[in-house]
Amino acid sequence: MDLFAKKLNILIVEDDDEEYNLLLDCIQNACILTEHILHAKSIAQTKEYLLGEIRFDLVFMDLNIQNHQQADFLFQIMDWADHKLPIVALCEVASPETTLLALINGAKHYLIKGDYDELAVEKVIKDCFSIVDSSGGYFENREFLGDGIALGAVWDIDLIQHQVKRSGKQFYESLGYRDDEYNQEFDFWENRLHPDDYQRVINTIQKSLADNTKRYWEVEYRFQKADGSFIWVNERGYILNDALGRPLRIIGAIIDINDRKEKEGQIQFLDHQLGAYFFHNPYPMWIYDNESYAFLEVNTAAIQKYGYTRDEFLQMTLRDIRPAQDLVQLRNLPKDIVSSNPVRHWQVRHQKKNGEIIDVEVTATDIQLTNVIATKVMVIDITEQLRARNERTFILEVVEKLRQESHLLDGLNAILKYVREYIQWQYGEIWLTDSSCDNIKMITHDFDTNYPVDLQAFATPVSFTSIPIEQTVFRRKSKHQKTYWIEDLATEELFMRRQLAQELGLRSAFSVPISYKDNYVAWVVFFTDKFSRKDAALINLVESICRQLGYEIRRRNSEEQLQYIFKFSRDLMGMANKRGFMTQVNNGFKKVLGYDEHTLTTKPIQRFIYQEDLPILHTALEELRNGSVSSPFELRCLAADNSIKWINCTVTQIPTEDLVFISGRDITRRKKSEDEREMLIKELRDSNKDLKQFSYITSHNLRAPLSNLLAILDLINPNNIKDEMTLFLLEKFKESTHALNHTVNDLLDILVIKNNVNIEQELLDLENELHKSFERLAYLRQDKEVAISMDFSGGKEINFNTTYLESIYQNLITNAFKYQSPERNLELKIFTKETKGFLQLYFSDNGLGINLQRHGDKIFGLYQRFHHHPDSKGLGLYIINSQVRALGGMIDVQSEEGVGTTFIVSFKKN
């Protein structure tokens, strides 16, 4: 496949966003054309993508994705891709067995996390497609590569069927074997072990097979070539077990390490373990001659890190890996690194074969070889550490520049210029959003004054103009909540100054949001005259700056807002020192008290306090000894016009200074209203008391004459009166007297209910009490068909007064019969329902009903009648309401004229 002729569709299966972004940057920076690069974080997303509409050309798969077995996940991906899709395994350096398992089971290549760049990614992609395009099946084409040369092969043994499959044609042919020899003989491998190594190797494998917790082994031994000679090989194996932990299958790789063994022999270390440490060390190491600085030996890590082959290294000196501008430092190298200290450390810059310059930390020790005195060196790449350290310093400098400026806008302008010059882009600007994030406004800009054209023209169309965010590139959340990179401004349709950018020669741009507590407050935007691809390092730097700026902008903006609030607030705000003088006051102080600022700050505070209220102020200040804020307090102040102002105050200790913050509110009107309200309440209480007393006096004074009248009427014998008119008048007089007696008795009952604060209560059963009431009123049901349904499953026990409950039931039942519809038989439905804090009794009938629109506000009033019934007095519902409310309950009514009425009595739970 010609990678430069087709755009690839690539899927990255990685649950770590940082690892994904790193790989994405490497792919984009490599010379690989792509159509789509999609990101899957889980097996479900992977399946959705692979079975979707896009036909992928390559998959990068994280072997350590959470919650999945690596081999199972790999097999699933291969199944979904019909075993035709190249897979690159992303593996940890500490998991060689996982990497081996992936390669043997179908992965085309692998990358070690944290140890690759765009060149490595480009090479891996090209290697994958060279394997796919080669003749023969994948297993037959599998070769392990090292230092650019085919060094090994893989094998797969079925322990149940006693079968083996080996691949690595180039490896076995280099040993002089034919295909039928290594691929058909099951004992081919065992028969060619060196006799001195045989038992050690077999014991290593048998030990792993016996211990199902140790499924991986690695061993080095000598393997016989076809001509009878031996080479050194490294073997790594992995055991696959069944559900019971029994070995089913062994897969592994054999790698030629003969060259490495010979290299180890070329330099005879005085300590054998020291030699193993050198060649197997994951960090780059080399040995150089103290006289000539020539490389005498390098390890594999140095070859991989610097890009030179071993042969190239052995023809070079230390000068060849130093940048040209640093060579002058080598003149002082001997005195820098040769000392009595056996271990020496320093930092220096090195240059790799591809020209990349890196910062390294060098650890050096003298070493005695067979024929030469040399220095052994181990280097650690600290480029990223130094970059991060320098960036942290730069970020702190940026924040400090913002803090140094007294006004926020001046600070933003200063840091914009500082950052733009640091990253060496030609133009920058900062946009601020309003509180609702509906509009944005460019508040400052900066540009390179040495640019061939005046870039002020780029800012003019939008300077200090509020623009709806929907009309900008930030209308999509993905572009205003995250960093947005535009490689070619001419292609961004939503960029309003697209044409102007082309005319001024600006080609690429990127924006980074400034947020604070998930609120986006501003955006920093930079422009360059070059077509620039996405730069992860640059983005990380500016994002780090913006994270710091978000807090600072909010803080500075809040401080300026606080100053505004302090100055123009209607409330009284001021600062006072411990000597009792105000040092600063706001407009509220001056407006309420009527003094100018000079008077308020040059006279002691007690001069403005009503003398009788000075102890209140002293008590509040004493509270500050035990806390930072006083309790609210009220006191009177003397205004300039000699009037008295009531102020509600608090005082707060400022911990870093010997100052007290005083805040207050003018409550003079409220205090006047409170005084007027107290007078009105007192008048109402007195009036209510007089009315109650009048009611008692009236009722009791009427009872004696009424009793006398009733007694006299009982003594009069109507049989002795012959005159019919006299008899008629006597009968009417008797009726009126009895009616008046009932009315007086009702009024006395109401007065008792209203004034009884210690009403006796006991536990009552609503259902039993209702049955008793129906029995007492059984006469109402004579000659009538009445349907009664009861349901007390919602609750039936309450704490209530027995007499009151009898009265409530009696009034509800008699009303139901009294106002029964003449058109249908009476139906009563009585049930309970429990609600929060109350047990509700529902009493429903199908009687005449009440027009609530007309009478709703009078339903429980005294002497209110809603039907022309001869026995109606309009007193029953008033009494029920009074009795229920006296014990903390309430009553409501639902009614429709011609349909019926439901009373809802809510008894308070105790």
Side-chain angles (χ1 to χ4, degrees), residues 123-141:
K123 182 178 183 301
V124 164
I125 294 176
K126 290 180 178 179
D127 287 347
C128 282
F129 288 102
S130 67
I131 292 173
V132 171
D133 292 337
S134 62
S135 60
Y138 169 74
F139 196 83
E140 287 71 18
N141 287 306

Side-chain angles (χ1 to χ4, degrees), residues 721-730:
I721 301 174
K722 304 301 181 181
D723 182 46
E724 292 184 0
M725 179 58 69
T726 302
L727 285 172
F728 174 77
L729 292 174
L730 181 63

